[in-house]
Amino acid sequence: MSRSSRFRTAAATLLTCALLVGPVGCGDDDGGPRQVGTVLDTTDDEGRRYRQIPEEGAPEAGIVVEPDADPGAGWDIRIRLKHFRLSPPGTESRAVHGRGYAQLFLDGRRLALLRTLDHRLPAARVGRGTHHVTVRLYADDHTVWAVDGKPVEATADLTASGAETASPTSSTDAP
């Protein structure tokens, strides 16, 4: 086999592998193989089981909630991730270390399933008072990532008071 034929074969093989892998999503993860943990009997409020993983190299989540510049318009929510990638829609339903999706909760009620880092919370969805916005990380098989028996999540407070909004208290869990 000639040198150019070997080169073309190698190039075709690499191109095929690249096409099979597909899109990789958002976030920070080195993509290396890791243990996917142990599924526990513990569940969240929706009945999704916890997937216990070691603390070292575990995903981390943070959340920042900022009121819109236009009073009464709503809030911009940005999640921060470390050792975690958000999987694109249509990802196979299986656990892969450091990958999955996030769910956003307002006062314990599910608001949205997130596969991007940003979310817009309209003011109409939030009543007067102080509220808790929580982001929690899930594997693509719908188990909850957990460390030491606690879900990998972060919470921030926001206060809605009529037409104006108060600055939120951001979570100290932000990576």
Side-chain angles (χ1 to χ4, degrees), residues 120-142:
R120 178 87 173 121
L121 178 59
R125 303 266 328 249
V126 182
R128 271 180 86 104
T130 299
H131 303 275
H132 307 289
V133 181
T134 301
V135 62
R136 182 177 299 150
L137 303 183
Y138 292 79
D140 287 313
D141 69 350
H142 310 295

Side-chain angles (χ1 to χ4, degrees), residues 70-87:
D70 177 19
W75 293 265
D76 294 317
I77 299 172
R78 179 152 180 88
I79 60 173
R80 293 183 172 168
L81 303 173
K82 186 173 181 182
H83 307 297
F84 193 78
R85 271 186 198 213
L86 293 169
S87 301

Side-chain angles (χ1 to χ4, degrees), residues 9-58:
T9 301
T13 302
L14 288 173
L15 179 58
T16 301
C17 289
L19 291 173
L20 292 175
V21 171
V24 292
C26 306
D28 171 29
D29 175 41
D30 65 9
R34 297 237 175 55
Q35 179 199 44
V36 292
T38 304
V39 177
L40 305 176
D41 289 332
T42 308
T43 63
D44 68 3
D45 292 340
E46 296 179 327
R48 296 173 192 233
R49 293 175 71 179
Y50 285 14
R51 179 174 294 280
Q52 179 74 29
I53 54 175
E55 185 174 357
E56 185 177 336

